[in-house]
Amino acid sequence: MTVALFSILYISANAEGTAELTPTLASDNQGVLQIWDNNDVNRNSFTYGAPSTKRLNFTICNPETVYFGMAYDAGDLAAPATLWYRIIAPDSTVAFPVAGTGWQQVTNAGAGSISTWAQAKAGPSNIVGGAGGYTALSFTPTMAGDYWIEFYRKSNAGAPTVGNPTPATAPKIPPATAANIATQQRTKTRLRFFDLTVTDVPNGTRIPGRLFSQTWDINVNAANNPFIATMYVYSDDGIVTGLNFNRIRPFGFTIACNPTGVTNTGNAAVDRRSVSVNATYAQYKIFLHDPDNSCYSTGIFGNVIAPVTISGCDVNNRQINITVDKAGGAELLLNFNGIPGYQFGTADVLLKQTLNVGTNVISWNSRDGLGNLIPPGTVIDMRLDYFNGLTHLPLFDVENHPYGYIVSLVRPAGPPPLLFWDDSGIAGGTTNLSGCTTGTPTPTTGCHGFGSVTAGAIPPSSNPTTTDWGNNRTINTWWYANYININAVFNVPGSISVDANTNVPGTGASNDISSCTNAGAIPLSGAVTGATGATWAVKSGVTGTIANPTSLTTTFTPSAADLAKPFIYIYLTSTGNGSCPAVDDSMKITFVGGPTVTAGSPQSACANNSTLTLNGNFTVATGIIWSGGGGTYVPNNTTKNATYTPTAAEIAAGSVTLTITTTGNGLCPAATAQVTNSYFAAPTVSAGSPVTVCANNPAAALVGSATNQTGVAWSGGTGTFTTPGSTSTTYNPSATEKTGGPKTV
C-alpha cells in the first residue's frame, strides 16, 4: 500500500504527456505519440478527420486554464513539409487558435515548443511547480466537456485550408469528407515531446487526470526498446484499473480497450480469443493519470442478490434469470462436457450479456454447443461470472512481451484483478481461464508474457517463448475489476409435463383404469416436471373424496353415487408454473360391478335337531365357499344352500358363526358375509302320576311338568281338559270312557 501511494503522489507532480509515456530519463524517446505510422492510412489516430475513438482528448469540468506544448521529431519532418494542429471544443468550434487561419503550426522553437525531456517532465514553466519547464501556449475554455486536438501534416508550407469554419455561415467546423481527409500528407510523424496541462486558475496548480484517448498510437523507436509507462483505463461503469506495460517491446503500436475483445459479435468465447490478424476496436477512455475524480466519478461494485433460475415454456427460448444490484457484465457457462471451465468447440455453451440493475434475462435455445437439444428435466452444471470493470486489451503486432502485464485496481481500491487470456487459436498459444495474479511473487511479476527477452533468463510467465511471437497477431488479455463466481446445478425446465398415473407408461388415455365397485379407496400416483407441484381434482358431480389433493401420492374414495356411474375422471394439474400456463393430465376410472354375497338370516335349532339349511346367495362371482365352524357341510362347503350340522361343542356353546366368501372374482376383491346360528337345549315333559277316579266322580286332576319349552298341550282321550295349555289341568272323561276302564292322556 505504501508503494502504491508513493507512486500516485510521484506521478501527480508531473505534466501530462511525455512525462508519463517516458517516466524516466533512461526511457526518453521510448514512448512517443505518432501519426500515420508506416505511412499507413489506417494509423490515423489524432489526425484531422479521425473518428471520435481515435482522438486525443482532454476534459474541462470547471472554469480552468489549459497549457500545452510539443515538438516534432526532426527526422520525420523536413522542409517544405509542415505539421499543424488545432483544438476543437465540445460544440465543434475551434477553441485554439482563436484568430487567424484556425490552425497552429508545430515548431521546435519559441512559445509552445519543448526542447528536452526535462522540460516536458516539469511542464509549463509559469504554473505552480513548473520551474525548469517550457514556455507554454494556453487558452481559457469557455465551456465544460471533452475537447480534442487534431493534427494535419502538409507537404508544403502554409496553413491547411480544408475543414475550416466559414465565418459567414457558422462558427462550427464542417464535417470532414473523405476528399478533404485525403489532402493530408499521410506520412509517419512522431511528436518527440508533448504536454497538455490543465490548471485550476491561470498560472495555478495543475489538475492531472484530464488527458485521454480511446486509441493511443505509440512508437518506442526500436524493436528492443521497452515501453514502461502505466496507463489508466476508465471502464464504462466507472472502474479505474492501472495498466503497467512492464517493458513490453512493440516498436510501434496502438493501445485500445473495450468490454469484449478482438470483436463484438455477441459470442464471448470467439470475441475474446487472440487471432492471427489485425482485429481490435476502441471503447474505453485511457488516461495517463488516474482520471480526475471531480470529472470521472468512481463506480461501485455490485452483487448477485437472488438465486439464478431457469424459466420459460418455449423449448427454443428458455429464460435464465439473474438479479443484480448494479449494472455489470455476465458470462454464463453451461457445462455439458463434464470438464471444469469452458472448452471452445465442445458441447459447452458460454452466454454473455450486460446486466442492468434488477432482474435480467439471458436467452438460451435449450441446445448445447454442438446443437443438440437438451430435454426437459436434464440436470446441468452452471457457472455464473458477474463482473464490473471488465476490460479487454487486444494489442496488434506486439512482437515481444516476455514479462507480462501488471494490472492494479485503482478505484474503487482493491486487490489486483486476475488476468485471463485465450491464445488457443494461434499455434503455440496458451490459455488461462482460471486467472493469473500480477505482482506475485515480486512487484515486477506480470501475467500473459510471450516472446523473447533481450538479456537474462526468460521469466516463468512467458509462454510461448518464441521470438517475435506476437508479430502481425492480435493478442488479447482481459481482467475483471470485480469478479463474482457462482456455481450451481439446475434442472432444465420444459414444457411442463404432468402424469396422472405413473403405474402405466404414457399420459392421457393410457392412464385409464377399471376399478371394482367393492374396491374401496383407489390409490393415486402422479408425477410433475417443470413445475413446483400439482393438485388432484374431480369434475362437478363427483362426490367422492381425495385424501390429500396436493400430494402426488394419495387415494380417492368414491361415494355410492360415484359407484352408480359407469365412469368418472380424476385430474392432476400442475402448480407453481412460473411464467408457464398450467398443464393437466387425466385418468378415467371405469367402475366394474364387484361381487356381492349374503349369508342369509340367523337361524336357531334344538340340540336334538341341530341340522340347519344355510341360505347363502351371491352375484357376479362364479362361486362361494363356506368357512368357520367345525361341523359338517352337506353336500359340501361350496354349495350356497348346504346343510350344516354343528359339533357337540358348538351346540354346548350355544351358537356358531359361519362365513361365506365369493370365489371366481376376476379382478375384483372377494366379497364376504357372516351369519350366526343359535342352538338350544332339548325340551322335557312329564304327565305326572296315574290318577284313579270313580265313575260317579270322574273329573281327574292332572299335574304335569315341562322344561326347555315355551308351552305344553294336553291331548288324548275323548273327554275334555279344562286348561289344555297348562301343565296342571282337569280331565273330564266322556261317558264311554267312564265305563271303558283306564284311559291314557
Side-chain angles (χ1 to χ4, degrees):
M1 191 68 179
T2 302
V3 173
L5 181 59
F6 175 80
S7 176
I8 293 172
L9 291 174
Y10 176 78
I11 293 175
S12 297
N14 298 329
E16 290 203 81
T18 297
E20 292 77 33
L21 294 173
T22 56
T24 65
L25 181 59
S27 65
D28 178 29
N29 207 30
Q30 296 180 9
V32 299
L33 302 184
Q34 65 176 354
I35 59 175
W36 309 120
D37 187 30
N38 296 321
N39 305 333
D40 183 351
V41 296
N42 294 312
R43 297 291 287 273
N44 58 340
S45 289
F46 321 144
T47 64
Y48 164 71
S52 60
T53 56
K54 289 187 174 183
R55 291 172 178 166
L56 183 59
N57 302 275
F58 61 92
T59 302
I60 296 299
C61 300
N62 302 292
E64 294 158 341
T65 302
V66 180
Y67 297 89
F68 46 92
M70 63 196 77
Y72 59 82
D73 190 306
D76 294 340
L77 196 68
T82 54
L83 181 65
W84 301 79
Y85 71 96
R86 63 184 179 181
I87 299 176
I88 309 299
D91 65 352
S92 296
T93 60
V94 177
F96 181 88
V98 295
T101 64
W103 292 89
Q104 178 77 24
Q105 185 174 357
V106 180
T107 63
N108 286 359
S113 66
I114 303 175
S115 302
T116 65
W117 177 86
Q119 285 185 342
K121 184 80 171 177
S125 61
N126 58 327
I127 68 171
V128 176
Y134 67 96
T135 301
L137 295 174
S138 67
F139 81 101
T140 300
T142 59
M143 67 185 70
D146 290 342
Y147 292 70
W148 73 92
I149 305 171
E150 60 184 15
F151 293 89
Y152 190 108
R153 174 170 172 146
K154 291 187 66 196
S155 60
N156 52 22
T161 58
V162 298
N164 294 327
T166 303
T169 56
K172 292 187 178 181
I173 60 172
T177 65
N180 285 345
I181 293 172
T183 62
Q184 300 175 85
Q185 185 182 33
R186 291 178 281 195
T187 302
K188 182 176 80 170
T189 306
R190 292 164 291 174
L191 292 179
R192 183 66 177 82
F193 303 111
F194 175 84
D195 173 64
L196 184 135
T197 298
V198 178
T199 63
D200 54 354
V201 294
N203 304 319
T205 302
R206 72 189 79 212
I207 306 173
R210 298 295 187 87
L211 182 67
F212 72 90
S213 179
Q214 291 170 277
T215 306
W216 291 93
D217 200 330
I218 305 296
N219 197 309
V220 299
N221 290 308
N224 287 327
N225 281 348
F227 184 57
I228 64 172
T230 295
M231 292 184 171
Y232 296 82
V233 183
Y234 188 76
S235 64
D236 290 345
D237 54 358
I239 309 300
V240 180
T241 47
L243 172 59
N244 182 341
F245 284 91
N246 197 27
R247 297 166 287 170
I248 193 171
R249 303 202 316 277
F251 211 132
F253 71 130
T254 59
I255 303 169
C257 292
N258 61 61
T260 65
V262 299
T263 55
N264 187 15
T265 66
N267 186 328
V270 172
D271 290 342
R272 69 191 187 187
R273 296 179 77 204
S274 300
V275 293
S276 294
V277 296
N278 187 353
T280 184
Y281 74 97
Q283 182 167 324
Y284 293 164
K285 296 178 179 179
I286 305 175
F287 292 78
L288 300 184
H289 280 279
D290 177 8
D292 181 11
N293 200 25
S294 64
C295 302
Y296 294 95
S297 60
T298 303
I300 60 173
F301 293 149
N303 285 294
V304 179
I305 58 176
V308 178
T309 61
I310 304 178
S311 60
C313 314
D314 184 354
V315 70
N316 294 310
N317 187 24
R318 306 291 189 201
Q319 289 87 49
I320 302 175
N321 308 293
I322 304 171
T323 304
V324 297
D325 60 3
K326 180 187 182 296
E331 288 185 358
L332 185 67
L333 168 63
L334 308 183
N335 188 350
F336 290 116
N337 68 0
I339 302 173
Y342 175 75
Q343 283 74 48
F344 185 82
T346 69
D348 285 351
V349 173
L350 187 65
L351 304 172
K352 182 175 181 178
Q353 184 164 311
T354 299
L355 305 182
N356 297 314
V357 175
T359 299
N360 301 261
V361 173
I362 296 180
S363 297
W364 173 50
N365 64 2
S366 299
R367 287 162 173 80
D368 66 15
L370 301 177
N372 300 310
L373 184 66
I374 306 301
T378 301
V379 176
I380 59 174
D381 178 24
M382 299 178 63
R383 189 189 78 191
L384 170 66
D385 293 341
Y386 164 65
F387 38 80
N388 308 119
L390 170 61
T391 302
H392 284 262
L393 175 68
L395 295 187
F396 174 69
D397 200 28
V398 172
E399 286 79 6
N400 299 285
H401 188 23
Y403 304 102
Y405 304 100
I406 299 174
V407 177
S408 59
L409 182 54
V410 179
R411 291 193 280 127
L418 299 176
L419 268 60
F420 303 83
W421 62 90
D422 181 1
D423 300 337
S424 60
I426 301 176
T430 63
T431 299
N432 188 330
L433 300 181
S434 58
C436 172
T437 302
T438 63
T440 301
T442 68
T444 59
T445 300
C447 289
H448 198 193
F450 54 85
S452 63
V453 297
T454 55
I458 296 177
S461 65
S462 184
N463 188 12
T465 58
T466 305
T467 300
D468 297 338
W469 186 78
N471 186 48
N472 289 323
R473 293 166 172 169
T474 303
I475 308 302
N476 184 49
T477 310
W478 73 91
W479 58 88
Y480 314 96
N482 179 48
Y483 175 66
I484 298 175
N485 175 264
I486 298 174
N487 290 293
V489 175
F490 293 97
N491 285 329
V492 177
S495 302
I496 296 172
S497 63
V498 176
D499 185 0
N501 186 359
T502 60
N503 295 316
V504 295
T507 58
S510 62
N511 290 330
D512 298 348
I513 64 170
S514 296
S515 181
C516 297
T517 53
N518 68 327
I522 301 170
L524 302 179
S525 178
V528 60
T529 59
T532 60
T535 300
W536 295 98
V538 294
K539 276 189 174 181
S540 176
V542 176
T543 56
T545 57
I546 299 171
N548 186 349
T550 60
S551 173
L552 292 174
T553 303
T554 186
T555 59
F556 170 71
T557 303
S559 65
D562 297 338
L563 294 174
K565 304 177 190 293
F567 59 85
I568 65 168
Y569 281 93
I570 300 261
Y571 296 90
L572 182 63
T573 303
S574 64
T575 58
N577 305 293
S579 60
C580 300
V583 175
D584 62 22
D585 190 30
S586 64
M587 179 172 66
K588 179 182 179 181
I589 302 176
T590 300
F591 292 115
V592 177
T596 63
V597 68
T598 59
S601 300
Q603 302 181 68
S604 299
C606 292
N608 61 341
N609 187 22
S610 58
T611 299
L612 294 171
T613 299
L614 304 176
N615 295 314
N617 208 350
F618 64 93
T619 63
V620 179
T622 60
I624 59 91
I625 186 170
W626 288 98
S627 61
T632 304
Y633 296 92
V634 177
N636 51 54
N637 68 338
T638 59
T639 300
K640 66 177 183 177
N641 299 121
T643 62
Y644 180 74
T645 301
T647 64
E650 291 169 344
I651 294 172
S655 66
V656 64
T657 298
L658 305 179
T659 300
I660 184 171
T661 304
T662 58
T663 60
N665 303 291
L667 298 177
C668 297
T672 63
Q674 290 183 326
V675 64
T676 299
N677 293 329
S678 302
Y679 300 99
F680 301 98
T684 63
V685 67
S686 172
S689 301
V691 177
T692 301
V693 295
C694 294
N696 62 347
N697 187 22
L702 304 178
V703 180
S705 62
T707 63
N708 301 323
Q709 93 296 332
T710 59
V712 297
W714 291 95
S715 62
T718 57
T720 61
F721 298 94
T722 56
T723 54
S726 175
T727 55
S728 296
T729 188
T730 300
Y731 180 71
N732 297 304
S734 63
T736 57
E737 289 176 326
K738 294 177 182 179
T739 60
K743 302 299 177 181
T744 301
V745 295

